[in-house]
Amino acid sequence: MKIGRILSGRTLRGFMESEKSGGLTLIVCTIISILLANSGIGEGYRGFWETQAGSHTIADWINDGLMAIFFLLVGLELIQEIYEGELSNVKRAMLPISGALGGMLIPAAIYMSLNFGTDTHAGFGIPMATDIAFALGVLSLLGNRVPISLKVFLTALAVIDDLGAIIVIALFYTTSLAWVYLLAAIGIFVLLLLLNKKFNVTNLIPYLIGGVIMWYCMLHSGVHATIAGVLLAITIPFKKGDPKCLSNKMQSALHYPVAFAILPIFALANTAMLIEGNWDQSIGEPFALGIILGLIVGKPIGITLFSFISVKTGLCALPRGVKWKALLGAGMLGGIGFTMSIFITLLAFKGNMHYINESKLMILLASLASGIIGYAWLNYVLKKEETKERVKE
């Protein structure tokens, strides 16, 4: 969840504070879930999430159902960024676009170089993601020393990062297609677009009804059901400069439920894993190394390198008040991959609990390391810049 401008009366500072709280909530839920899963009631706790509820387990309903609402929010934020935010100006947008592209391609390349031709090659999408709640949470710990333009860069980059993850999920983690359901979902999407663009319908009810039916069709189509959330967001009426338009009102209404309910529930359900005594032996396995190196090394290198190339070729410029050392620090925080990384893990290694559980653990370890390294580096760099400014004065 990210934005680089005023959103429905909330300033960026207020948004950062809510993201910090959301990130802390995720951390607490993750710790609680891991402790419970490995306690005396661990078997019952883990079994609860695998309880069958109709045609799906509780965990499946969360991952396929509740997370569709998260993707709806991501889509709404993406639309606003394209029309009003950092992505509305091509020159300004090229820096976060370049950084995000490098932050996806380099980690994926590192992973594939270690896993090509193995049964874990499908996990290449895992280290491509950035968890903005955690990243902004760490950034906010540095206080007012962080330039606003650096916060904006990181938030805009994460918007594109999420878009990239959505494309990767749609293209590479789609099983065999059920064309009848897929065409039905596309038909509903087109119908909702017509309600918006041609008939100017601004009542939320038709969009919600259509969105639920589209989600059901997508669930049975072979394309992951959460994509319906993004498609629904595209159809919601948006009016530039109008904070009361339906899209902005939905975005504002969804922000807190997603940050403090849906994502924490996702964390509880998907970190309920048994940590075995020999877990450290998995670190040497290709898939584990791919995740760790992709997030800790690939993310900062990819983000910084592609940003540098774009600036040097004249496609864009560094934001005012941001230096390369600080941008590298933002790249390090980009290695915090939690929500989307775990989500892609479930798709990549579907049914293989060994790979799923070990991958989740590697994501947590790599994210923790990226957060600590990024914080320490930015703290050093920003403190040094602050000292220089004082000397000048």
Side-chain angles (χ1 to χ4, degrees):
M1 292 153 295
K2 40 283 183 223
I3 189 168
R5 43 171 244 97
I6 294 176
L7 172 62
S8 299
R10 290 187 289 117
T11 62
L12 179 61
R13 181 176 296 176
F15 180 83
M16 289 287 292
E17 285 303 313
S18 68
E19 287 300 310
K20 177 182 175 182
S21 301
L24 291 174
T25 303
L26 281 179
I27 292 172
V28 170
C29 287
T30 299
I31 293 171
I32 290 173
S33 186
I34 292 174
L35 290 176
L36 287 175
N38 291 273
S39 69
I41 62 168
E43 188 173 346
Y45 176 71
R46 296 191 305 272
F48 167 76
W49 300 110
E50 296 306 316
T51 301
Q52 203 70 23
S55 58
H56 289 65
T57 64
I58 292 175
D60 287 337
W61 282 118
I62 292 167
N63 297 330
D64 292 342
L66 278 183
M67 286 301 284
I69 301 174
F70 165 72
F71 277 81
L72 169 60
L73 179 59
V74 169
L76 293 170
E77 290 173 344
L78 176 63
I79 293 298
Q80 186 172 42
E81 282 296 314
I82 290 172
Y83 283 103
E84 295 184 324
E86 283 299 292
L87 306 183
S88 62
N89 180 293
V90 176
K91 182 92 173 174
R92 218 167 48 224
M94 282 309 300
L95 185 66
I97 287 174
S98 302
L101 189 62
M104 290 185 284
L105 292 179
I106 299 300
I110 290 174
Y111 185 95
M112 284 303 290
S113 69
L114 295 168
N115 290 270
F116 185 76
T118 70
D119 59 351
T120 56
H121 71 277
F124 72 91
I126 297 171
M128 295 172 71
T130 296
D131 191 292
I132 195 61
F134 280 125
L136 287 181
V138 173
L139 200 63
S140 68
L141 296 176
L142 294 161
N144 295 327
R145 289 179 296 162
V146 182
I148 291 292
S149 50
L150 186 65
K151 297 175 184 178
V152 171
F153 168 77
L154 185 58
T155 54
L157 179 143
V159 169
I160 303 153
D161 190 289
D162 274 354
L163 176 61
I166 290 164
I167 293 171
V168 166
I169 290 169
L171 293 179
F172 298 102
Y173 296 112
T174 293
T175 55
S176 57
L177 293 175
W179 285 102
V180 173
Y181 281 107
L182 181 59
L183 291 174
I186 293 172
I188 294 166
F189 171 67
V190 172
L191 178 61
L192 293 178
L193 273 180
L194 289 173
L195 287 180
N196 176 5
K197 304 296 183 182
K198 188 171 179 62
F199 299 106
N200 297 316
V201 176
T202 57
N203 188 301
L204 180 59
I205 302 301
Y207 296 100
L208 290 182
I209 293 173
V212 171
I213 298 172
M214 182 165 58
W215 171 84
Y216 177 84
C217 292
M218 202 68 81
L219 181 67
H220 292 84
S221 71
V223 178
H224 201 271
T226 52
I227 301 298
V230 181
L231 294 178
L232 177 60
I234 295 171
T235 69
I236 302 297
F238 178 87
K239 188 175 181 181
K240 187 175 180 179
D242 182 8
K244 294 184 178 180
C245 72
L246 190 56
S247 181
N248 280 338
K249 288 199 291 187
M250 280 188 70
Q251 188 181 158
S252 184
L254 286 174
H255 180 76
Y256 287 102
V258 168
F260 297 105
I262 291 174
L263 290 183
I265 290 172
F266 173 84
L268 288 170
N270 290 286
T271 55
M273 53 191 182
L274 182 65
I275 300 177
E276 299 172 347
N278 59 348
W279 65 267
D280 54 318
Q281 294 178 13
S282 295
I283 295 178
E285 293 188 47
F287 77 95
L289 280 176
I291 293 170
I292 291 172
L293 293 178
L295 288 172
I296 298 176
V297 179
K299 272 290 185 179
I301 289 178
I303 291 169
T304 308
L305 178 62
F306 276 55
S307 297
F308 181 79
I309 292 172
S310 292
V311 170
K312 291 304 177 183
T313 54
L315 288 175
C316 55
L318 272 181
R320 183 179 296 179
V322 175
K323 297 188 176 178
W324 285 111
K325 289 180 180 179
L327 191 134
L328 174 61
M332 292 172 178
L333 295 183
I336 303 175
F338 183 80
T339 305
M340 200 68 84
S341 290
I342 290 177
F343 190 80
I344 293 175
T345 295
L346 301 173
L347 301 178
F349 302 136
K350 196 167 186 177
N352 192 317
M353 293 312 299
H354 168 71
Y355 287 145
I356 288 175
N357 286 336
E358 296 304 314
S359 293
K360 288 178 183 178
L361 189 57
M362 297 308 129
I363 291 166
L364 292 176
L365 291 174
S367 297
L368 178 63
S370 293
I372 293 172
I373 294 168
Y375 174 83
W377 175 259
L378 281 172
N379 187 49
Y380 169 75
V381 169
L382 296 174
K383 193 175 286 185
K384 200 171 179 181
E385 288 298 321
E386 200 173 42
T387 303
K388 282 183 182 179
E389 290 299 321
R390 285 175 181 171
V391 170
K392 285 181 184 179
E393 292 174 1

